[in-house]
Amino acid sequence: MSRPMAPTDVDPFTSTEVYYARYRPGYGGGAIEYLQEKFDLDESSRVLDLGCGAGQITVPIAAFVGEVVGMDPNQAMIREARTRAAEAGRDNIEWVVGSDSDLDEDLGPVRLTTMGRSFHWMDQERTLERLRSMTEPGGGVAILNDAEWFTRGEKRWQDEVYEIAGEYIDDLPPRTGPVDYDDPWDEKLDAFGFHDVEVATFETEREWDVDSVVGYVFSLSYCSPETFGDEQEAFERDLRACLTDSEREPFVQRAETEVIAGRKQLGGIERENSG
Protein backbone atom coordinates (compact mmCIF):
# COMPACT_ATOMS: atom_id res chain seq x y z
CA MET A 1 0.00 0.00 0.00
CA SER A 2 1.24 3.51 -0.72
CA ARG A 3 -0.16 7.02 -0.45
CA PRO A 4 1.11 10.28 -1.94
CA MET A 5 2.07 13.37 0.00
CA ALA A 6 2.66 16.93 -1.12
CA PRO A 7 5.03 17.43 -4.06
CA THR A 8 8.65 17.93 -3.07
CA ASP A 9 11.59 19.80 -4.57
CA VAL A 10 13.71 18.27 -7.31
CA ASP A 11 15.31 15.12 -5.95
CA PRO A 12 19.11 14.92 -6.25
CA PHE A 13 18.83 11.15 -6.64
CA THR A 14 16.80 11.30 -9.85
CA SER A 15 18.22 8.71 -12.30
CA THR A 16 20.12 6.86 -9.53
CA GLU A 17 17.20 4.75 -8.33
CA VAL A 18 17.95 1.42 -10.01
CA TYR A 19 21.63 1.65 -9.06
CA TYR A 20 20.78 2.71 -5.51
CA ALA A 21 18.49 -0.27 -5.05
CA ARG A 22 20.92 -2.79 -6.46
CA TYR A 23 24.32 -1.56 -5.32
CA ARG A 24 23.96 0.50 -2.13
CA PRO A 25 24.86 -1.82 0.76
CA GLY A 26 22.61 -2.32 3.75
CA TYR A 27 23.57 -1.54 7.32
CA GLY A 28 24.09 -5.10 8.53
CA GLY A 29 22.11 -7.33 10.82
CA GLY A 30 23.94 -6.14 13.93
CA ALA A 31 22.61 -2.60 13.63
CA ILE A 32 19.02 -3.76 13.07
CA GLU A 33 19.17 -6.21 15.99
CA TYR A 34 20.59 -3.45 18.22
CA LEU A 35 17.56 -1.26 17.46
CA GLN A 36 15.19 -4.14 18.10
CA GLU A 37 16.68 -4.68 21.55
CA LYS A 38 17.10 -1.01 22.51
CA PHE A 39 13.51 -0.08 21.66
CA ASP A 40 11.85 -3.42 22.51
CA LEU A 41 10.44 -3.77 19.02
CA ASP A 42 7.82 -6.48 18.57
CA GLU A 43 4.61 -7.19 16.66
CA SER A 44 2.87 -4.31 18.41
CA SER A 45 5.46 -1.76 17.23
CA ARG A 46 5.08 0.75 14.41
CA VAL A 47 8.24 2.15 12.81
CA LEU A 48 8.78 5.08 10.44
CA ASP A 49 11.77 4.86 8.09
CA LEU A 50 12.22 8.48 6.99
CA GLY A 51 14.20 8.97 3.80
CA CYS A 52 13.89 5.24 3.20
CA GLY A 53 15.54 5.16 -0.22
CA ALA A 54 15.22 1.70 -1.72
CA GLY A 55 14.28 0.10 1.61
CA GLN A 56 17.73 -0.81 2.96
CA ILE A 57 16.38 -0.34 6.52
CA THR A 58 12.63 -0.58 5.90
CA VAL A 59 12.62 -4.17 4.69
CA PRO A 60 14.92 -5.83 7.27
CA ILE A 61 13.37 -4.02 10.23
CA ALA A 62 9.90 -5.12 9.07
CA ALA A 63 10.81 -8.63 10.24
CA PHE A 64 10.78 -7.42 13.86
CA VAL A 65 7.64 -5.24 14.00
CA GLY A 66 3.97 -5.10 13.18
CA GLU A 67 4.08 -2.23 10.69
CA VAL A 68 6.67 -0.03 8.97
CA VAL A 69 6.05 3.19 7.07
CA GLY A 70 8.73 3.76 4.41
CA MET A 71 8.80 7.43 3.37
CA ASP A 72 10.91 9.02 0.61
CA PRO A 73 10.41 12.00 -1.73
CA ASN A 74 11.53 10.01 -4.79
CA GLN A 75 8.66 8.02 -6.27
CA ALA A 76 10.97 5.85 -8.37
CA MET A 77 12.97 5.01 -5.23
CA ILE A 78 9.74 3.95 -3.51
CA ARG A 79 9.02 1.70 -6.50
CA GLU A 80 12.41 0.01 -6.07
CA ALA A 81 11.78 -0.36 -2.33
CA ARG A 82 8.42 -1.98 -3.02
CA THR A 83 10.15 -4.54 -5.26
CA ARG A 84 12.69 -5.28 -2.51
CA ALA A 85 9.88 -5.83 -0.01
CA ALA A 86 8.02 -8.16 -2.36
CA GLU A 87 11.17 -10.22 -2.96
CA ALA A 88 11.63 -10.52 0.82
CA GLY A 89 7.98 -11.46 1.35
CA ARG A 90 7.29 -8.42 3.57
CA ASP A 91 3.67 -7.24 3.37
CA ASN A 92 3.58 -5.15 6.56
CA ILE A 93 5.01 -2.00 4.94
CA GLU A 94 3.15 1.14 3.91
CA TRP A 95 4.93 3.32 1.34
CA VAL A 96 4.58 7.11 1.41
CA VAL A 97 5.96 9.56 -1.15
CA GLY A 98 7.08 12.53 0.94
CA SER A 99 9.94 14.12 2.86
CA ASP A 100 10.69 15.48 6.32
CA SER A 101 8.67 18.59 5.41
CA ASP A 102 5.56 16.37 5.16
CA LEU A 103 5.76 14.97 8.69
CA ASP A 104 2.48 15.33 10.54
CA GLU A 105 0.47 13.67 13.29
CA ASP A 106 -1.35 11.45 10.78
CA LEU A 107 1.86 9.41 10.41
CA GLY A 108 2.05 8.74 14.13
CA PRO A 109 2.23 7.47 16.70
CA VAL A 110 5.41 5.48 16.09
CA ARG A 111 7.68 3.50 18.34
CA LEU A 112 10.80 4.33 16.38
CA THR A 113 11.89 6.52 13.49
CA THR A 114 14.97 5.45 11.56
CA MET A 115 16.95 7.67 9.16
CA GLY A 116 19.66 6.02 7.10
CA ARG A 117 22.10 8.22 5.15
CA SER A 118 19.31 10.80 5.02
CA PHE A 119 19.36 13.05 8.09
CA HIS A 120 21.96 15.39 6.54
CA TRP A 121 19.44 16.24 3.77
CA MET A 122 16.77 17.35 6.25
CA ASP A 123 15.76 20.43 8.17
CA GLN A 124 17.17 18.72 11.23
CA GLU A 125 15.79 20.81 14.07
CA ARG A 126 12.26 20.96 12.69
CA THR A 127 12.39 17.24 11.92
CA LEU A 128 13.39 16.31 15.48
CA GLU A 129 10.70 18.54 16.95
CA ARG A 130 8.03 16.88 14.82
CA LEU A 131 9.33 13.39 15.46
CA ARG A 132 9.33 13.95 19.20
CA SER A 133 5.63 14.76 19.09
CA MET A 134 4.91 11.68 16.94
CA THR A 135 6.92 9.25 19.09
CA GLU A 136 5.46 7.05 21.80
CA PRO A 137 6.89 7.58 25.32
CA GLY A 138 9.86 5.25 25.59
CA GLY A 139 10.24 5.12 21.83
CA GLY A 140 12.80 7.13 19.95
CA VAL A 141 14.81 7.98 16.87
CA ALA A 142 17.89 6.40 15.30
CA ILE A 143 20.27 7.82 12.70
CA LEU A 144 22.25 5.20 10.75
CA ASN A 145 25.30 6.11 8.74
CA ASP A 146 28.45 4.59 7.31
CA ALA A 147 31.64 5.79 5.66
CA GLU A 148 31.26 6.81 2.02
CA TRP A 149 34.25 5.07 0.43
CA PHE A 150 34.15 7.17 -2.72
CA THR A 151 35.32 10.29 -0.85
CA ARG A 152 36.67 8.71 2.33
CA GLY A 153 38.36 5.54 1.08
CA GLU A 154 42.00 4.75 1.78
CA LYS A 155 42.84 2.14 -0.85
CA ARG A 156 44.50 2.73 -4.21
CA TRP A 157 41.52 1.48 -6.23
CA GLN A 158 39.24 3.91 -4.41
CA ASP A 159 41.60 6.79 -5.22
CA GLU A 160 41.64 5.83 -8.88
CA VAL A 161 37.84 5.63 -9.12
CA TYR A 162 37.61 9.11 -7.65
CA GLU A 163 40.26 10.46 -10.03
CA ILE A 164 38.47 9.09 -13.11
CA ALA A 165 35.17 10.62 -12.00
CA GLY A 166 37.00 13.92 -11.51
CA GLU A 167 37.96 13.91 -15.19
CA TYR A 168 34.26 14.15 -16.06
CA ILE A 169 32.78 16.11 -13.14
CA ASP A 170 34.21 19.42 -11.91
CA ASP A 171 32.52 19.72 -8.53
CA LEU A 172 33.12 16.39 -6.79
CA PRO A 173 33.05 16.54 -2.97
CA PRO A 174 36.56 16.91 -1.52
CA ARG A 175 38.41 13.66 -0.86
CA THR A 176 39.11 14.17 2.82
CA GLY A 177 39.15 12.25 6.09
CA PRO A 178 36.31 11.58 8.55
CA VAL A 179 33.51 14.13 8.71
CA ASP A 180 33.40 16.36 11.78
CA TYR A 181 30.13 18.16 12.43
CA ASP A 182 29.92 21.49 14.25
CA ASP A 183 26.78 20.18 15.95
CA PRO A 184 27.32 16.42 16.51
CA TRP A 185 24.13 14.45 15.99
CA ASP A 186 24.21 12.74 19.38
CA GLU A 187 24.31 16.17 21.04
CA LYS A 188 21.54 17.38 18.74
CA LEU A 189 19.27 14.49 19.74
CA ASP A 190 19.86 15.31 23.39
CA ALA A 191 19.18 19.01 22.81
CA PHE A 192 15.84 18.29 21.15
CA GLY A 193 14.24 16.22 23.86
CA PHE A 194 15.67 12.72 23.41
CA HIS A 195 17.62 11.14 26.27
CA ASP A 196 19.59 7.95 26.85
CA VAL A 197 21.45 8.82 23.63
CA GLU A 198 23.95 6.17 22.54
CA VAL A 199 26.42 5.90 19.68
CA ALA A 200 26.97 2.27 18.68
CA THR A 201 29.26 1.03 15.92
CA PHE A 202 29.23 -2.23 13.97
CA GLU A 203 32.18 -3.29 11.82
CA THR A 204 31.94 -5.23 8.62
CA GLU A 205 34.05 -6.10 5.59
CA ARG A 206 32.64 -5.68 2.12
CA GLU A 207 33.93 -7.13 -1.12
CA TRP A 208 33.15 -5.34 -4.37
CA ASP A 209 33.40 -6.53 -7.95
CA VAL A 210 33.63 -4.33 -11.03
CA ASP A 211 29.88 -4.20 -11.58
CA SER A 212 29.13 -3.23 -7.99
CA VAL A 213 31.77 -0.48 -7.95
CA VAL A 214 30.36 1.02 -11.14
CA GLY A 215 26.81 0.68 -9.86
CA TYR A 216 27.70 2.25 -6.53
CA VAL A 217 29.23 5.30 -8.24
CA PHE A 218 26.06 5.80 -10.31
CA SER A 219 23.99 5.59 -7.10
CA LEU A 220 25.59 8.78 -5.73
CA SER A 221 23.65 12.03 -6.07
CA TYR A 222 26.66 13.87 -7.48
CA CYS A 223 27.60 11.04 -9.88
CA SER A 224 24.14 10.15 -11.12
CA PRO A 225 23.69 9.10 -14.75
CA GLU A 226 21.89 12.41 -15.27
CA THR A 227 24.97 14.27 -14.01
CA PHE A 228 27.20 12.60 -16.61
CA GLY A 229 24.64 13.12 -19.36
CA ASP A 230 25.96 12.15 -22.79
CA GLU A 231 29.32 11.23 -21.26
CA GLN A 232 27.96 8.42 -19.08
CA GLU A 233 29.00 5.66 -21.48
CA ALA A 234 32.50 7.09 -21.91
CA PHE A 235 32.95 7.42 -18.16
CA GLU A 236 31.75 3.87 -17.54
CA ARG A 237 34.07 2.54 -20.23
CA ASP A 238 37.08 4.31 -18.67
CA LEU A 239 36.11 3.20 -15.18
CA ARG A 240 35.71 -0.45 -16.17
CA ALA A 241 39.02 -0.41 -18.01
CA CYS A 242 40.75 0.83 -14.87
CA LEU A 243 39.04 -1.69 -12.60
CA THR A 244 39.76 -4.70 -14.78
CA ASP A 245 43.52 -4.13 -14.64
CA SER A 246 44.94 -7.63 -13.97
CA GLU A 247 47.50 -6.28 -11.49
CA ARG A 248 44.84 -4.79 -9.25
CA GLU A 249 44.46 -5.48 -5.53
CA PRO A 250 41.17 -7.03 -4.33
CA PHE A 251 38.23 -4.62 -4.01
CA VAL A 252 37.84 -4.90 -0.24
CA GLN A 253 36.38 -2.24 2.04
CA ARG A 254 36.51 -2.35 5.82
CA ALA A 255 33.39 -0.46 6.81
CA GLU A 256 31.79 0.72 10.02
CA THR A 257 28.09 1.37 10.52
CA GLU A 258 27.31 4.00 13.13
CA VAL A 259 23.96 4.12 14.92
CA ILE A 260 23.04 7.23 16.94
CA ALA A 261 19.88 6.55 18.93
CA GLY A 262 17.92 8.45 21.56
CA ARG A 263 14.76 7.79 23.53
CA LYS A 264 11.73 9.97 24.30
CA GLN A 265 10.98 10.51 28.00
CA LEU A 266 8.70 7.86 29.47
CA GLY A 267 6.58 10.39 31.34
CA GLY A 268 6.42 13.73 33.00
CA ILE A 269 7.24 17.04 31.40
CA GLU A 270 9.50 16.96 28.37
CA ARG A 271 12.59 19.09 28.51
CA GLU A 272 12.44 22.38 26.71
CA ASN A 273 14.20 22.49 23.34
CA SER A 274 17.61 24.00 24.04
CA GLY A 275 18.45 24.30 20.35
Side-chain angles (χ1 to χ4, degrees), residues 155-176:
K155 291 185 175 293
R156 180 168 60 90
W157 66 270
Q158 295 168 327
D159 293 335
E160 292 176 357
V161 171
Y162 181 86
E163 289 169 4
I164 292 172
E167 295 175 4
Y168 288 85
I169 297 176
D170 294 330
D171 55 351
L172 286 179
R175 190 163 179 76
T176 59

Side-chain angles (χ1 to χ4, degrees), residues 23-44:
Y23 298 110
R24 280 293 183 103
Y27 296 90
I32 302 299
E33 291 170 8
Y34 164 79
L35 293 175
Q36 188 269 331
E37 294 175 2
K38 181 174 177 67
F39 293 100
D40 299 319
L41 301 179
D42 57 27
E43 292 183 356
S44 68

Side-chain angles (χ1 to χ4, degrees), residues 90-104:
R90 300 295 173 204
D91 58 4
N92 58 334
I93 303 173
E94 177 183 4
W95 302 106
V96 177
V97 179
S99 70
D100 56 299
S101 63
D102 300 308
L103 291 172
D104 60 38

Side-chain angles (χ1 to χ4, degrees), residues 10-236:
V10 175
D11 193 299
F13 289 95
T14 297
S15 79
T16 70
E17 296 90 354
V18 172
Y19 298 99
Y20 198 105
R22 186 173 300 173
Y23 298 110
R24 280 293 183 103
Y27 296 90
I32 302 299
E33 291 170 8
Y34 164 79
L35 293 175
Q36 188 269 331
E37 294 175 2
K38 181 174 177 67
F39 293 100
D40 299 319
L41 301 179
D42 57 27
E43 292 183 356
S44 68
S45 304
R46 189 166 186 263
V47 170
L48 169 64
D49 186 19
L50 181 59
C52 67
Q56 279 87 348
I57 296 175
T58 328
V59 174
I61 208 167
F64 294 95
V65 302
E67 182 182 7
V68 184
V69 177
M71 185 173 183
D72 197 274
N74 185 314
Q75 192 162 12
M77 201 75 81
I78 290 288
R79 184 167 59 247
E80 296 294 335
R82 186 196 296 274
T83 298
R84 181 189 296 263
E87 291 173 348
R90 300 295 173 204
D91 58 4
N92 58 334
I93 303 173
E94 177 183 4
W95 302 106
V96 177
V97 179
S99 70
D100 56 299
S101 63
D102 300 308
L103 291 172
D104 60 38
E105 297 298 328
D106 291 341
L107 287 168
V110 295
R111 179 70 178 172
L112 173 67
T113 297
T114 56
M115 294 168 279
R117 305 187 192 102
S118 61
F119 189 56
H120 62 286
W121 293 103
M122 301 179 189
D123 182 332
Q124 297 176 6
E125 297 179 356
R126 183 180 65 185
T127 296
L128 292 178
E129 287 177 345
R130 292 185 177 182
L131 290 178
R132 186 179 59 194
S133 68
M134 293 167 49
T135 302
E136 300 172 358
V141 299
I143 303 167
L144 288 77
N145 202 14
D146 58 8
E148 203 278 88
W149 66 253
F150 187 77
T151 56
R152 313 288 166 185
E154 298 176 347
K155 291 185 175 293
R156 180 168 60 90
W157 66 270
Q158 295 168 327
D159 293 335
E160 292 176 357
V161 171
Y162 181 86
E163 289 169 4
I164 292 172
E167 295 175 4
Y168 288 85
I169 297 176
D170 294 330
D171 55 351
L172 286 179
R175 190 163 179 76
T176 59
V179 177
D180 291 320
Y181 296 100
D182 293 335
D183 189 358
W185 289 343
D186 55 339
E187 295 180 10
K188 181 163 282 190
L189 291 187
D190 185 75
F192 278 81
F194 295 92
H195 75 297
D196 187 26
V197 178
E198 294 180 341
V199 180
T201 57
F202 303 88
E203 295 183 354
T204 186
E205 185 173 278
R206 297 172 182 156
E207 293 188 7
W208 303 75
D209 59 18
V210 172
D211 287 340
S212 60
V213 171
V214 173
Y216 178 87
V217 171
F218 285 139
S219 79
L220 299 166
S221 60
Y222 47 84
C223 286
S224 67
E226 187 173 275
T227 300
F228 286 100
D230 294 339
E231 294 188 309
Q232 180 186 351
E233 289 187 8
F235 165 72
E236 182 172 347

